[in-house]
Amino acid sequence: MIVVRLDRVLADRKMALGELAEIVGISNVNLSNLKTGKVKAVRFSTLDAICKALNCQPADILEYQDDEEMN
Amino acid sequence: MEEQIVVHKRFKTLATVMYVLSFIVMIIDGLVAAGVVIGGIVLAIMPVDEVMGILSNLTMDASLETPGGAVTITEEILSYVNLDKTMLMLLLLLSLLNVLIILFIIILVNRWLANLRKGNILTVQNSKYIEYIGYSFVAFALMEMLMSIAVSLLIKSSIAISELPADFREFFDIENIGITFDINLIPVFAGILIWMIAKSLKYGSYLQDEYDQTV
């Protein structure tokens, strides 16, 4: 499964979720859902805007973990 | 970006107007159902002779109209009629079921319009409402057929056909009234099409959900 590590990058950049939401142009609720992994998909345009705002790579935000290993 | 029709102000206004209209129709149909229930209770209590007495003492002229002409119901014709109470009660019960099916359809339309007003278009709930409307249309067609059979049985059991005047028998072709299993296919096909639309909307609700959960 894909794990979202957005909270880690936000902490490193010392940026609040609301601030990132405003820069990226999506709602606080949607970004919070993304952070907690409640979304089903992310658009490339959104990923592009997040990486631009946080000056990071997609691999910094998204991590793959095997479901069996997690269990 | 072109404004989506479903969030357009005019669409919401139209949905509201239709919602109010459906509410009014729902109340009227409810009153009709209540009337049928009251009529049934009164008929159950009242002896048949009294019902015939009321029909005979009607001061207004009653007539049966057909595409071929009209016949005035006179006391002479009423004398050949002896209402079969059981059949009449059965007919009333079927009428009540018919009215209830229509009421059910109106309630479902009302609930669906209520969701449209709130902007909830492609939802599983809406697809269920429309699916049940489809089933109700088919049930309505079956009920129509049953009522037609019940009317034929009522006429056969209530009228002394052999004693009726010859011209009356000929005019209405009463001797040839039989039990026919004629089903109106229009509501059946409409019900099937509506069911298919409901399934399409269910898929639409799945796509909506996928869209809503994409950031």
Side-chain angles (χ1 to χ4, degrees):
Chain A
M1 76 180 254
I2 301 293
V3 179
V4 179
R5 299 290 185 203
L6 187 61
D7 47 351
R8 203 182 279 173
V9 182
L10 278 172
D12 286 344
R13 305 288 187 272
K14 293 181 178 56
M15 192 185 284
L17 193 74
E19 197 185 329
L20 179 63
E22 207 176 313
I23 297 167
V24 169
I26 63 173
S27 66
N28 259 4
V29 172
N30 278 346
L31 200 58
S32 174
N33 285 340
L34 173 63
K35 194 181 84 153
T36 52
K38 287 178 188 169
V39 299
K40 281 187 180 176
V42 183
R43 292 189 186 90
F44 281 146
S45 56
T46 306
L47 195 56
D48 176 62
I50 291 172
C51 290
K52 204 172 197 172
L54 296 175
N55 191 27
C56 65
Q57 291 294 317
D60 299 329
I61 303 167
L62 305 171
E63 186 183 313
Y64 170 74
Q65 281 185 2
D66 197 332
D67 290 336
E68 282 173 10
E69 277 177 21
M70 281 191 75
N71 291 335
Chain B
M1 192 175 155
E2 194 184 319
E3 191 181 358
Q4 295 296 317
I5 185 79
V6 292
V7 297
H8 201 279
K9 211 174 171 182
R10 270 186 219 152
F11 178 85
K12 287 195 171 178
T13 308
L14 181 65
T16 304
V17 167
M18 295 305 293
Y19 170 75
V20 170
L21 281 174
S22 69
F23 202 76
I24 293 167
V25 172
M26 196 165 68
I27 291 169
I28 293 169
D29 201 57
L31 289 171
V32 168
V36 173
V37 168
I38 292 166
I41 293 167
V42 167
L43 204 64
I45 300 166
M46 203 186 271
V48 176
D49 294 336
E50 236 178 276
V51 175
M52 291 307 300
I54 291 168
L55 284 173
S56 306
N57 293 335
L58 279 172
T59 53
M60 56 186 174
D61 288 331
S63 61
L64 269 172
E65 289 187 14
T66 70
V71 169
T72 308
I73 307 293
T74 60
E75 219 173 295
E76 190 202 345
I77 288 170
L78 278 176
S79 66
Y80 301 114
V81 175
N82 187 21
L83 286 174
D84 182 347
K85 203 171 179 184
T86 311
M87 284 311 305
L88 200 55
M89 291 299 294
L90 179 66
L91 188 61
L92 266 174
L93 178 66
L94 289 174
S95 302
L96 178 64
L97 287 173
N98 208 20
V99 170
L100 287 175
I101 286 171
I102 294 168
L103 183 63
F104 185 57
I105 291 172
I106 295 166
I107 288 170
L108 290 169
V109 168
N110 182 267
R111 295 287 89 223
W112 173 61
L113 287 168
N115 279 343
L116 288 189
R117 280 177 70 212
K118 291 176 203 165
N120 300 330
I121 316 295
L122 296 171
T123 63
V124 173
Q125 198 180 43
N126 280 352
S127 72
K128 281 256 178 258
Y129 288 152
I130 292 169
E131 191 180 344
Y132 294 148
I133 289 171
Y135 293 147
S136 302
F137 264 72
V138 176
F140 178 75
L142 288 170
M143 199 52 60
E144 258 194 342
M145 182 188 75
L146 288 174
M147 278 188 64
S148 151
I149 292 170
V151 166
S152 302
L153 287 172
L154 178 65
I155 290 170
K156 275 182 148 340
S157 63
S158 300
I159 297 176
I161 294 171
S162 56
E163 291 167 29
L164 279 172
D167 53 350
F168 192 89
R169 283 206 314 267
E170 254 178 62
F171 189 80
F172 284 103
D173 198 17
I174 285 178
E175 282 164 329
N176 291 328
I177 289 176
I179 298 168
T180 51
F181 294 92
D182 277 332
I183 188 161
N184 187 355
L185 289 175
I186 292 172
V188 172
F189 281 125
I192 292 169
L193 283 171
I194 290 168
W195 181 85
M196 288 167 72
I197 289 168
K199 290 303 171 190
S200 308
L201 279 176
K202 194 173 180 183
Y203 180 65
S205 72
Y206 159 74
L207 291 176
Q208 179 73 61
D209 194 47
E210 289 286 302
Y211 177 81
D212 289 343
Q213 294 204 41
T214 300
V215 291

